Amino acid sequence: MLLLLEEEEEDDELLITTQSEQREKVDALFLNRKAEGYFEILISRHLIGNETKFREFLRVNKNQFDFLLSLVEVQLTKLPSNRVKKPITAAEKLALTLRYMATGESFRSLAFGFRVCHSYISIIIKQTLSVLKEKLVPVFLPDSSQIDFKKKADEFSYKWNFPNCILAIDGKHVRIRSPHNSGSLYFNYKDFFSIVLLAMVDANYKFVIVDIGSYGKEGDSSIFLKSLIGQQILNGSFRFPEESSLPGSNIVVPHVIIGDEAFRLHPNIMKPYSRKSSMGDASKKIFNYRLSRARRVTENAFGLLSQVFRVFYQPINIESTTCDNLIWVACCLHNMLRDGYLEDNRQPHYEYDCEQTLPTGNMLELNRVGGFFNMQGFEVRDRFKHFFNHEGALNWQNNTIF
């Protein structure tokens, strides 16, 4: 036993010696990080006192940055050592990650600005996104059981004239570089590689329930049906508000989620009438218009997300698991910004509990099951159609359609 221990120690010493000999000399460019890097020169000396430019650079204001830093500082902080006298601080790591999300710059480009080696930037971003996801998801994407869907329905009715609608659903293909040895798993019908973000959005463009990480080759409907939320709707365990009558009428309908033609009709999922069936039917055209008008909140949410975080404007060249975390964090930050959290001296209305765990009811692992079809969905859609053409008709809807 003693002989084996001695041999292991000799192997460790040999490995350390070999690694030391192979280690390249650190470029002088990176040795001047403290004196010349973006964080020291640009952020700490100039942007810190300019709220507008600080937000343009990192997409969050100073208060929001400090809040995010307070969540990740402990896990991202490294203590000085003999080998690294001045380790990269948690604030620098957070700023670097936010700048990457804001611009989608290559790691080599960020290396010149932040004075950090591009290979280590990939490690920093991977670690930071992982910690941010762990801390932000329970706060800004809580479990669906904690959501007041009756309030969501009231917002849709007031803002988009679609009563008894709690959420709108749609999917977005996030363009990525093809992962190694992935074959055609991530290759979608639009002829590029992608990871699917399937999202349910409320009337204020906020992400409420998301499914992230499905292969690009899958369609929105199949991903939805395989997801936990799809299974809950299928077996009736999803917590929809009780059915109620539409405003000013005696028509009683359940609360619904609205989507496009890709989704399957169900008593709680509304989709437009087909183009062929609505061709000569004005009442169906009006229903399609009202549904599409309310459903565009999903497109608006995706557009806002991409406009703020420009990393989505180009193929994302990172590991697929890290890309999943990036999308999670972007959705959380999007919700934070939509709510104006820590803006204009407002009192924070989110409470962070360090004991919170990741929710299990708003995403997740896909089960290999088929879709579902329910004739009651046609009946519910016809009731909405009747309401939109009679009791719930808008003065301007006919002029818009015809």
Side-chain angles (χ1 to χ4, degrees):
M1 187 67 179
L2 182 59
L3 181 60
L4 288 174
L5 290 174
E6 290 176 353
E7 288 179 353
E8 289 179 0
E9 290 176 358
E10 290 175 359
D11 290 341
D12 291 341
E13 291 177 1
L14 179 61
L15 179 61
I16 294 172
T17 303
T18 305
Q19 289 177 340
S20 300
E21 291 174 353
Q22 293 178 348
R23 189 180 297 123
E24 297 181 3
K25 184 178 179 181
V26 179
D27 195 293
L29 178 73
F30 305 128
L31 295 176
N32 296 324
R33 173 175 53 85
K34 282 293 184 182
E36 301 175 355
Y38 267 173
F39 190 83
E40 181 63 29
I41 299 297
L42 183 60
I43 298 176
S44 298
R45 297 188 188 180
H46 299 284
L47 301 184
I48 202 72
N50 189 327
E51 187 65 35
T52 301
K53 295 301 179 183
F54 189 95
R55 183 191 294 275
E56 288 179 5
F57 192 75
L58 297 177
R59 298 297 192 262
V60 296
N61 65 29
K62 183 62 171 58
N63 291 334
Q64 291 164 343
F65 181 85
D66 290 340
F67 166 72
L68 295 175
L69 181 60
S70 69
L71 299 183
V72 302
E73 190 166 18
V74 173
Q75 289 174 266
L76 294 182
T77 298
K78 276 194 173 183
L79 298 176
S81 63
N82 292 332
R83 183 164 172 246
V84 182
K85 303 292 184 182
K86 297 179 180 179
I88 300 174
T89 64
E92 290 178 88
K93 293 177 180 179
L94 177 61
L96 196 158
T97 302
L98 291 176
R99 184 59 181 171
Y100 170 68
M101 295 178 64
T103 64
E105 286 185 66
S106 68
F107 292 168
R108 289 185 180 274
S109 176
L110 291 170
F112 286 107
F114 282 89
R115 298 293 197 269
V116 179
C117 178
H118 70 275
S119 60
Y120 193 56
I121 286 179
S122 66
I123 298 174
I124 289 174
I125 289 178
K126 180 178 181 179
Q127 293 175 342
T128 306
L129 289 175
S130 178
V131 177
L132 281 172
K133 176 194 171 184
E134 177 187 345
K135 301 295 184 180
L136 292 179
V137 169
V139 183
F140 296 103
L141 278 172
D143 193 283
S144 60
S145 62
Q146 304 175 27
I147 299 170
D148 184 357
F149 285 116
K150 188 66 175 69
K151 181 179 178 181
K152 298 293 184 186
D154 293 339
E155 291 173 348
F156 259 105
S157 181
Y158 176 74
K159 292 189 174 184
W160 301 104
N161 305 113
F162 202 111
N164 284 32
C165 171
I166 60 173
L167 298 170
I169 184 172
D170 201 0
K172 177 181 178 63
H173 285 276
V174 178
R175 189 185 295 261
I176 63 171
R177 293 290 179 90
S178 175
H180 293 299
N181 302 319
S182 63
S184 61
L185 287 176
Y186 293 93
F187 194 71
N188 62 43
Y189 70 99
K190 296 184 179 181
D191 293 336
F192 63 84
F193 295 90
S194 65
I195 288 175
V196 178
L197 161 60
L198 188 69
M200 294 189 188
V201 180
D202 69 9
N204 298 312
Y205 312 139
K206 286 176 55 182
F207 296 105
V208 178
I209 301 172
V210 294
D211 184 299
I212 298 168
S214 295
Y215 299 128
K217 72 172 187 177
E218 299 183 83
D220 292 352
S221 181
S222 62
I223 294 171
F224 173 70
L225 295 176
K226 294 175 184 177
S227 66
L228 177 61
I229 189 68
Q231 290 301 296
Q232 288 178 343
I233 293 175
L234 173 61
N235 60 32
S237 62
F238 185 79
R239 193 175 52 86
F240 282 99
E242 293 183 2
E243 62 179 24
S244 60
S245 58
L246 296 173
S249 76
N250 295 322
I251 302 174
V252 178
V253 295
H255 285 76
V256 299
I257 297 169
I258 56 176
D260 60 17
E261 298 87 348
F263 297 92
R264 306 211 178 175
L265 198 62
H266 181 268
N268 297 113
I269 302 175
M270 291 292 100
K271 60 180 283 187
Y273 288 95
S274 68
R275 182 176 300 180
K276 183 178 180 180
S277 67
S278 63
M279 189 72 71
D281 192 328
S283 62
K284 290 182 179 180
K285 285 185 178 179
I286 288 175
F287 171 84
N288 285 358
Y289 168 71
R290 294 283 290 271
L291 183 142
S292 299
R293 181 174 179 269
R295 191 187 63 78
R296 72 183 183 186
V297 296
T298 57
E299 300 296 337
N300 293 346
F302 292 144
L304 290 168
L305 182 73
S306 300
Q307 186 69 12
V308 174
F309 301 108
R310 300 296 182 92
V311 68
F312 295 114
Y313 275 1
Q314 56 195 325
I316 302 175
N317 190 19
I318 54 180
E319 294 179 0
S320 57
T321 53
T322 305
C323 186
D324 291 349
N325 290 342
L326 185 149
I327 300 171
W328 272 109
V329 172
C331 290
C332 291
L333 294 179
H334 169 88
N335 284 357
M336 181 182 77
L337 296 175
R338 288 300 303 165
D339 278 339
Y341 182 61
L342 295 175
E343 296 270 11
D344 302 326
N345 298 320
R346 298 180 192 176
Q347 290 297 322
H349 57 279
Y350 288 106
E351 295 183 2
Y352 180 75
D353 180 1
C354 62
E355 299 299 325
Q356 291 183 95
T357 58
L358 292 178
T360 58
N362 64 341
M363 166 158 179
L364 293 256
E365 295 185 1
L366 306 181
N367 300 316
R368 298 191 175 279
V369 296
F372 59 90
F373 184 82
N374 194 312
M375 288 299 296
Q376 293 178 351
F378 289 98
E379 298 176 9
V380 173
R381 184 168 64 177
D382 287 340
R383 290 180 215 163
F384 274 108
K385 180 191 72 172
H386 178 85
F387 173 76
F388 290 148
N389 283 275
H390 296 88
E391 297 92 334
L394 302 176
N395 296 331
W396 41 265
Q397 66 184 24
N398 289 326
N399 296 330
T400 305
I401 297 298
F402 303 105

